[in-house]
């Protein structure tokens, strides 16, 4: 049976022509038919890498493939024991984060969080965007963890793995409940999203921002709506994200723009336009991240290129590998976010010069920690003394 590793060695071997690579992917049985993935980003749904058996789709002569239903979004409840995740990465500006959901319906084909679905026995492909996990106990768990003796307050980041404002948040409202807990405790929070749904919570965020407790970053990958629709199919369109920036800024909430990911040969020419548009919408800071293709993300992105931009396939992958030491990805700290080499240096230089010209990143907003009061609400263990 074909496997992810064999697919990398055959269809996605360096130097292969797009037509040859596309034929090998089609023959592998991993690619899902268009009628089943309409509105999805991934075109593959390979078996999770920890599973003992591999699944593939093939025609057995009974015409049963036509009976396969389109993928529909399913949400299961996950009951974690804790909700604050810690990290010691030197590449990140925060040491703790919260993920209200596992998986993300936005369907961004480049999402570096996709491989985490393998821990649930699911695919990093279509499963990641169609089979989601919600954590409705998150607000209660957060309240409990913030109330623990010895808790040291530092800003919590939300949206660094999967988007807290993805479409299913309209129903579950977990993110809003988390903000209510954080506001009541006077706890600082930084949010990253590519959804205009963040405007729903302007009332809470504006009150927190007035005390120096909140900041929001909107991720803008491209201003080209056609590209956005295939690259991140269920995320808010670019103009809605700029509208959200303006609404947040007008409400007194500090706003940043994340030009992420920068994809060489595809959207890197838009860096200046994205920063210009964000500045006009009220952003006062900006950042960028180079495309990351860890583990299963690489074949998913390559397949996406073959389906949507076959004429750019070899050029884009060649540029990516030129910034990753000849590989699709380099996970080394200090390199994974920006890449190395002449092309990576050129991107960094363009970004820095544009940000300087626009007056972005002139001062760094430090979220305050002196407003923190440990929760004493229902379900929080009280002191015996």
């Amino acid at each position: 049976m074909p496997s992810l590793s064999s697919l990398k060695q055959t269809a996605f071997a360096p130097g292969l022509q797009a037509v040859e690579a596309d034929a090998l992917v089609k023959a592998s049985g991993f690619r899902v038919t268009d009628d089943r993935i309409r509105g999805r980003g991934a075109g593959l749904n390979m078996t999770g890498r920890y599973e003992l058996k591999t699944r593939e789709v093939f025609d057995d002569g009974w015409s049963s493939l036509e009976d396969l239903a389109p993928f529909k979004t399913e949400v299961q409840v996950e009951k974690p024991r804790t909700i604050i995740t810690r990290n010691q990465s030197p590449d990140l500006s925060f040491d703790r984060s919260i993920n209200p959901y596992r998986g993300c319906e936005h369907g961004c084909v480049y999402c570096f969080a996709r491989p985490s679905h393998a821990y649930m026995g699911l695919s990093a492909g279509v499963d990641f965007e169609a089979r989601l996990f919600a954590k409705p106990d998150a607000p209660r768990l957060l309240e409990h963890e913030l109330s623990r003796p010895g808790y040291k307050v530092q800003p919590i980041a939300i949206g660094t793995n999967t988007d807290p404002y993805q479409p299913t948040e309209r129903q579950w409202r977990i993110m809003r409940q988390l903000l209510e807990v954080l506001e009541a405790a006077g706890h600082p929070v930084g949010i990253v999203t590519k959804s205009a749904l963040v405007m729903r919570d302007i009332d809470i965020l504006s009150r927190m921002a007035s005390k120096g407790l909140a900041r929001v970053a909107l991720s803008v990958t491209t201003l080209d709506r056609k590209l956005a629709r295939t690259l991140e199919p269920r995320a808010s369109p670019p103009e809605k994200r700029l509208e959200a920036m303006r609404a947040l800024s007008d409400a007194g909430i500090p706003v940043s723009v994340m030009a992420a990911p920068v994809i060489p040969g595809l959207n890197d020419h838009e860096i200046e336009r994205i920063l210009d548009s964000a500045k006009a919408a009220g952003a006062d800071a900006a950042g960028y991240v180079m495309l990351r293709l860890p583990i299963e993300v690489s074949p998913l992105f390559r397949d996406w290129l073959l389906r949507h931009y076959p004429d750019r396939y070899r050029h884009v992958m060649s540029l990516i590998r030129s910034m990753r030491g000849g590989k699709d990805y380099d996970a080394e700290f200090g390199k994974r976010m920006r890449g190395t080499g002449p092309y990576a240096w050129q991107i960094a230089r363009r970004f820095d010069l544009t940000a300087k010209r626009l007056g972005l990143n002139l001062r760094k907003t430090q979220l305050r920690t002196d407003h923190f009061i440990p929760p004493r609400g229902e379900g929080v263990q009280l002191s015996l003394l």
Side-chain angles (χ1 to χ4, degrees), residues 4-18 20-21 24-25 298 302 306 313-314 317 321 328:
L4 181 61
S5 59
S6 66
L7 197 64
K8 289 181 177 179
Q9 294 170 6
T10 55
F12 300 134
L16 206 63
Q17 296 291 334
E20 298 171 298
L24 287 170
V25 175
S298 175
R302 283 175 172 268
L306 290 172
Y313 175 74
R314 293 191 66 190
M317 292 310 304
R321 293 171 70 87
D328 286 4

Side-chain angles (χ1 to χ4, degrees), residues 256-279:
S256 306
V257 60
M258 287 297 298
V262 174
I263 306 173
L266 197 64
N267 72 346
D268 54 341
H269 64 284
E270 295 189 71
I271 291 175
E272 290 80 5
R273 288 184 59 222
I274 290 172
L275 296 190
D276 272 328
S277 299
K279 174 66 175 181

Side-chain angles (χ1 to χ4, degrees), residues 171-380:
Q171 173 189 349
W172 290 87
R173 299 176 69 86
I174 299 172
M175 181 59 183
R176 183 168 179 88
Q177 294 174 60
L178 288 171
L179 288 178
E180 290 170 347
V181 172
L182 293 170
E183 181 187 21
H187 197 293
V189 63
I191 300 169
V192 181
T193 181
K194 51 171 59 72
S195 174
L197 182 57
V198 67
M199 291 190 287
R200 179 201 64 188
D201 295 335
I202 279 180
D203 56 335
I204 299 177
L205 291 170
S206 61
R207 292 194 299 267
M208 294 184 72
S210 68
K211 299 178 182 179
L213 295 175
R215 183 175 189 91
V216 177
L218 269 295
S219 173
V220 180
T221 313
T222 176
L223 296 177
D224 181 337
R225 188 161 188 170
K226 180 181 178 182
L227 174 58
R229 191 164 56 245
T230 58
L231 194 61
E232 38 198 28
R234 299 197 180 191
S236 297
E239 63 271 19
K240 293 296 292 184
R241 297 182 217 180
L242 295 174
E243 179 184 325
M245 281 187 204
R246 171 50 61 196
L248 292 165
S249 179
D250 288 347
I253 303 163
V255 181
S256 306
V257 60
M258 287 297 298
V262 174
I263 306 173
L266 197 64
N267 72 346
D268 54 341
H269 64 284
E270 295 189 71
I271 291 175
E272 290 80 5
R273 288 184 59 222
I274 290 172
L275 296 190
D276 272 328
S277 299
K279 174 66 175 181
D284 64 4
Y288 80 96
V289 177
M290 197 65 69
L291 177 69
R292 298 166 58 187
L293 298 177
I295 318 174
E296 292 99 326
V297 184
S298 175
L300 288 170
F301 179 74
R302 283 175 172 268
D303 175 69
W304 179 87
L305 279 174
L306 290 172
R307 288 184 292 120
H308 297 286
Y309 294 92
D311 57 322
R312 303 192 198 183
Y313 175 74
R314 293 191 66 190
H315 179 60
V316 170
M317 292 310 304
S318 175
L319 291 175
I320 289 172
R321 293 171 70 87
S322 76
M323 297 187 294
R324 302 295 187 184
K327 301 177 293 185
D328 286 4
Y329 183 54
D330 183 355
E332 184 179 339
F333 288 139
K335 297 181 180 179
R336 58 182 184 152
M337 300 291 197
R338 300 295 174 88
T340 59
Y343 206 89
W345 178 88
Q346 177 198 139
I347 295 294
R349 188 66 176 149
R350 285 173 52 201
F351 179 89
D352 291 341
L353 289 173
T354 304
K356 182 178 181 181
R357 172 175 61 81
L358 295 172
L360 297 168
N361 300 332
L362 291 182
R363 57 182 181 277
K364 188 173 182 179
T365 303
Q366 294 288 346
L367 297 177
R368 296 180 61 175
T369 59
D370 55 331
H371 289 291
F372 179 65
I373 301 175
R376 289 291 181 266
E378 182 180 352
V380 175

Side-chain angles (χ1 to χ4, degrees), residues 84 86 95-98 142-157 182 185-188 369 372-375:
I84 298 178
R86 309 278 179 161
D95 67 354
R96 64 200 70 181
S97 59
I98 294 175
L142 175 61
E143 194 172 56
H144 178 72
E145 291 177 48
L146 296 184
S147 69
R148 286 177 176 169
Y151 176 80
K152 297 186 183 302
V153 59
Q154 286 295 327
I156 287 178
L182 293 170
H187 197 293
T369 59
F372 179 65
I373 301 175

